[in-house]
Amino acid sequence: MAEAQACYKRAQEKERAGDFAGALAELERAIQLAPGSVDLLNARGNAKLNLAELESALEDFQKSIALNGNSFLPYANKAIVLYGLGRDEDARAAQAQACALHTQPKVLADKIEGMGRTARTVERGKQLEGGQPAHADEYVARAGYRMKKKRHDEALKDLEAALKADPAQGPKGVYQAMAGIAKIRKEWKQELECYRRWAEAAPDQFEALNAYAWAL
């Protein structure tokens, strides 16, 4: 059990660093050592969710619920994955179960729905792999999937294509995503440039001005 906990700790460190593939590898080892751990199953499901492996993540959350159905967390995670997969009716049922076990159901419901929308966008981007996006929203979706997979050069090309197709996408999240990639790469001047473009495109948007100010 001590070795399983050591793997879990390393997985948490890798996840904080954005290395979800590395976190998943550590969690696979931990679960081999402690196959009945609810916490490890939830953590592995989250790592898979962050890697856009939704069907496999769903299996882990369902196993976790089977072992312990008294925690809101696996129900919430299950709902996020189901929203991502477009299974809205099942997602709402899991969301209701999660909220029934939580002290702030409205807050939790809003969080689940927000993360569910993100998961659905990424899943949509995954389906566009190997194809040709038809409009700006599809470029943004595919960029989100490619960012999950650490394919940053490809993601940046998609984000620039989205801006070319529809400049209004910039203040809606494209500039922020581009800045995020620059930050991961420690390209500070490029990060600043992304925030500058965002602030100039949306001078009345608090988030844009605040991000640009902090970067400066």
Side-chain angles (χ1 to χ4, degrees), residues 30 38 49 62 66 101 107 123 131 139 142 147 157 166 188 200 206 213 216:
V38 172
L49 174 57
Q62 289 174 328
L101 294 167
V107 172
E123 183 66 14
Y139 278 111
R142 193 171 68 176
M147 287 171 69
K157 287 179 181 178
D166 179 13
W188 312 122
E200 288 187 358
F206 162 79
L216 286 168

Side-chain angles (χ1 to χ4, degrees), residues 70-96:
N70 296 319
S71 171
F72 79 90
L73 187 58
Y75 287 111
N77 287 330
K78 179 181 177 180
I80 292 165
V81 169
L82 289 169
Y83 276 127
L85 292 169
R87 295 168 54 183
D88 289 3
E89 186 175 345
D90 292 336
R92 284 190 288 270
Q95 179 178 319

Side-chain angles (χ1 to χ4, degrees), residues 83-152:
Y83 276 127
L85 292 169
R87 295 168 54 183
D88 289 3
E89 186 175 345
D90 292 336
R92 284 190 288 270
Q95 179 178 319
Q97 289 171 305
C99 291
L101 294 167
H102 199 269
T103 56
Q104 294 180 296
K106 180 62 168 64
V107 172
L108 181 62
D110 290 345
K111 185 174 182 180
I112 289 171
E113 289 169 12
M115 293 180 72
R117 284 192 295 271
T118 299
R120 182 171 297 186
T121 298
V122 172
E123 183 66 14
R124 182 183 176 199
K126 183 178 181 179
Q127 302 306 317
L128 289 164
E129 282 286 88
Q132 181 61 38
H135 46 75
D137 284 344
E138 291 189 346
Y139 278 111
V140 172
R142 193 171 68 176
Y145 172 70
R146 290 175 168 179
M147 287 171 69
K148 290 278 188 184
K149 294 298 184 180
K150 304 294 183 185
R151 291 158 52 191
H152 294 138

